């Protein structure tokens, strides 16, 4: 099995990681010469798939599946046209993506379906969160806590307010759930917990989660309603916040996400890329069950620099250059990292597992302690929301 991953940033890293875990060959395509995913592929082609689209049929000629790991509409349309002419399956539902790539269109869908969501400004009080409508994840997100800051924001963005979503800021833990769909049918996978840094960028993903059974069932039902409304073919992730005992929808994205698939794969053995193979190559909805006890997994991004170890959002991985995969990295099961020596700054995505989440936390503390000792670090920082490790999450 050979897969072409188009785009070598963080989604590309996720796709290459999952493909390698599945034992597949990976052809990575990116217009930049040294994207983060380059160290995780078997073959690399530096190609701009829009400007050099005539090269695509040759590049994709020997692959079984094309996995887009980009979000630019023009790129996706070029891929869809080439894959369609070549008869190569493209692991993307362009229609569903067209809805979910816009927070405005997504919110309209939530409202039409009567699903719980944050209140919209000006029909809600402060604080609020302003989000670029066409941007995924935390990019450009601003929290506004007072009338003066809100007035300044509205003034500075007067000419482009239709490109923003402003909604109430809700305190509470965030959760994610992936859904695989095929022709109106769908299967929901494992719920994961998301922890953010001070810029609302995801710094850590945890599994399994301690979510009451009724809320877990409600989350799965909501995800299924959305997938069926979109007539999803492929994958979609659904993100919610638990606020005052209620789950409220934050966003949906009908494309392969970053971070959570690796956690689900480590916790349950379910590989979402292999599931997409079943959907797009075999026209078969994969089976998934959480009957077996899932392993505890902690997946987080760390940066070692200026004499300290800092846990941070995934943005620190985007400019690190090519990453490589290492096993038993300072005691972590796996790491995706640019580490080269103890005396140089480096970043890593650490994956630490255990028989349950508590055991994973115990191992994770030892990993952090080992890194700090080996690199002679004096400081430790974990900004943002408090970690869910009862001991505080810091080094031993």
């Amino acid at each position: 099995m050979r897969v072409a991953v188009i785009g070598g940033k963080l989604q590309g890293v996720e796709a290459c990681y999952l493909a390698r875990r599945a034992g597949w060959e990976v052809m990575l395509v990116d217009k930049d010469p040294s994207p983060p995913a380059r160290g995780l592929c078997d073959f690399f082609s530096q190609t701009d798939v829009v400007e050099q689209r005539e090269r695509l049929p040759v590049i994709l000629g020997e692959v079984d599946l094309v996995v887009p790991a980009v979000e630019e509409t023009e790129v996706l349309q070029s891929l869809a046209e080439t894959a369609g002419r070549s008869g190569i399956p493209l692991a993307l539902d362009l229609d569903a993506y067209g809805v979910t790539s816009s927070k405005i269109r997504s919110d309209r869908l939530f409202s039409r379906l009567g699903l719980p969501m944050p209140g919209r400004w000006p029909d809600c009080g402060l604080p609020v969160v302003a989000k670029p409508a066409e941007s995924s994840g935390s990019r450009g997100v601003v929290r506004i806590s007072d009338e003066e800051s809100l007035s300044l924001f509205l003034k500075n963005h007067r000419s482009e307010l239709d490109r923003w979503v402003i909604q109430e800021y809700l305190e509470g833990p965030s959760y994610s759930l992936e859904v695989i769909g095929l022709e109106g049918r769908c299967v929901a996978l494992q719920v994961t917990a998301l922890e953010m840094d001070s810029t609302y960028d995801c710094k850590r993903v945890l599994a399994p989660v301690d979510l009451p059974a009724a809320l877990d069932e409600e989350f799965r039902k909501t995800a299924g309603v959305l997938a069926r409304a979109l007539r999803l073919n492929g994958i979609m992730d659904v993100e919610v916040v638990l606020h005052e005992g209620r789950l409220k929808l934050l966003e949906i994205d009908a494309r392969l996400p970053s971070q959570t698939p690796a956690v689900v794969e480590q916790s349950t053995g379910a590989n979402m890329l292999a599931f997409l193979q079943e959907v797009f190559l075999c026209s078969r909805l994969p089976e998934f069950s959480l009957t077996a006890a899932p392993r505890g997994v902690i997946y987080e991004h760390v940066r070692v620099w200026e004499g300290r170890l800092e846990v941070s959002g995934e943005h620190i991985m985007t400019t690190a250059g090519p990453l490589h995969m290492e096993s038993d990295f300072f005691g972590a099961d796996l790491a995706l990292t640019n580490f080269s020596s103890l005396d140089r700054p480096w970043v890593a995505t650490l994956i630490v597992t255990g028989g349950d989440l508590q055991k994973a936390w115990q191992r994770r503390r030892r990993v952090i302690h080992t890194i700090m000792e080996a690199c002679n670090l004096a400081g430790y920082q974990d900004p943002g929301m408090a970690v869910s490790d009862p001991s505080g999450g810091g080094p031993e």
Side-chain angles (χ1 to χ4, degrees):
M1 176 76 180
R2 177 181 285 193
V3 61
V5 175
I6 314 299
K9 294 182 180 179
L10 297 183
Q11 286 174 251
V13 168
E14 195 77 21
C16 290
Y17 167 86
L18 293 172
R20 289 188 59 174
R21 294 284 290 179
W24 300 351
E25 282 190 339
V26 184
M27 163 69 78
L28 177 66
V29 180
D30 197 287
K31 64 182 180 181
D32 295 324
S34 297
R38 181 164 183 174
L40 303 172
C41 66
D42 298 289
F43 312 97
F44 176 71
S45 174
Q46 184 183 353
T47 302
D48 185 320
V49 299
V50 175
E51 298 297 327
Q52 301 171 287
R53 66 178 68 196
E54 73 281 353
R55 296 183 57 185
L56 275 179
V58 176
I59 294 170
L60 303 180
E62 298 182 2
V63 304
D64 302 297
L65 180 68
V66 178
V67 179
V70 292
E71 298 184 359
E72 295 85 352
T73 301
E74 189 176 11
V75 175
L76 295 173
Q77 290 174 342
S78 177
L79 284 175
E81 291 169 6
T82 302
R85 287 195 302 268
S86 304
I88 304 170
L90 178 70
L92 179 71
D93 185 330
L94 266 178
D95 291 336
Y97 181 78
V99 175
T100 68
S101 61
S102 164
K103 291 181 174 64
I104 292 174
R105 289 190 289 271
S106 295
D107 281 3
R108 287 174 182 161
L109 177 65
F110 301 162
S111 179
R112 178 170 65 83
L113 296 174
L115 299 174
M117 56 188 286
R120 292 290 295 271
W121 180 85
D123 299 323
C124 67
L126 296 172
V128 295
V129 173
K131 307 175 181 179
E134 303 296 328
S135 178
S136 67
S138 65
R139 286 179 298 194
V141 172
V142 180
R143 179 180 173 180
I144 303 171
S145 301
D146 56 75
E147 291 290 349
E148 182 180 355
S149 299
L150 178 59
S151 296
L152 182 60
F153 176 87
L154 295 175
K155 178 182 177 181
N156 290 341
H157 297 85
R158 183 183 298 117
S159 64
E160 54 175 14
L161 278 179
D162 58 343
R163 301 178 187 175
W164 289 82
V165 169
I166 305 176
Q167 57 187 204
E168 65 178 326
Y169 173 79
L170 300 178
E171 293 277 2
S174 296
Y175 300 97
S176 180
L177 176 63
E178 280 75 30
V179 187
I180 306 292
L182 176 63
E183 298 175 353
R185 298 173 294 127
C186 63
V187 57
L189 305 181
Q190 183 188 35
V191 178
T192 55
L194 311 177
E195 293 188 350
M196 311 299 171
D197 68 8
S198 55
T199 66
Y200 309 105
D201 193 16
C202 184
K203 66 178 180 179
R204 184 182 290 119
V205 183
L206 308 170
V209 304
D210 186 20
L211 195 63
L215 288 176
D216 182 270
E217 183 178 355
E218 177 190 339
F219 195 1
R220 294 173 181 279
K221 181 179 178 181
T222 298
V225 167
L226 286 164
R228 286 187 288 272
L230 291 167
R231 291 200 60 82
L232 178 70
N233 286 298
I235 191 167
M236 176 178 70
D237 72 312
V238 183
E239 186 178 335
V240 299
V241 60
L242 178 59
H243 177 71
E244 297 180 349
R246 294 195 66 197
L247 294 175
K248 295 197 175 183
L249 285 161
L250 293 180
E251 65 177 61
I252 54 178
D253 282 298
R255 47 91 171 127
L256 182 71
S258 60
Q259 306 183 94
T260 49
V263 175
V264 172
E265 192 268 341
Q266 287 283 341
S267 182
T268 69
N271 188 316
M272 295 185 199
L273 204 58
F275 282 0
L276 290 180
Q277 177 200 21
E278 290 192 52
V279 169
F280 288 99
L281 268 69
C282 308
S283 297
R284 180 175 64 226
L285 192 68
E287 296 181 1
F288 177 80
S289 173
L290 272 175
T291 53
R295 288 183 61 76
V297 181
I298 300 168
Y299 173 111
E300 64 185 335
H301 311 291
V302 302
R303 172 166 55 184
V304 170
W305 68 320
E306 297 182 351
R308 67 181 184 271
L309 185 150
E310 178 183 354
V311 182
S312 190
E314 67 173 344
H315 65 272
I316 63 172
M317 308 300 296
T318 60
T319 58
L323 305 174
H324 59 275
M325 190 187 311
E326 288 199 23
S327 301
D328 194 22
F329 184 74
F330 293 100
D333 296 69
L334 286 172
L336 305 175
T337 181
N338 67 350
F339 175 86
S340 60
S341 67
L342 293 174
D343 57 355
R344 297 185 62 182
W346 52 271
V347 298
T349 298
L350 304 176
I351 302 175
V352 180
T353 71
D356 54 35
L357 192 54
Q358 182 178 1
K359 290 184 174 65
W361 274 118
Q362 293 169 354
R363 287 195 60 212
R364 183 263 181 192
R365 290 195 297 273
R366 291 195 293 271
V367 170
I368 299 298
H369 180 73
T370 301
I371 292 173
M372 295 192 66
E373 278 203 335
C375 298
N376 194 27
L377 304 177
Y380 173 84
Q381 292 182 314
D382 192 355
M385 294 173 56
V387 298
S388 55
D389 177 8
S391 71
E396 292 181 326

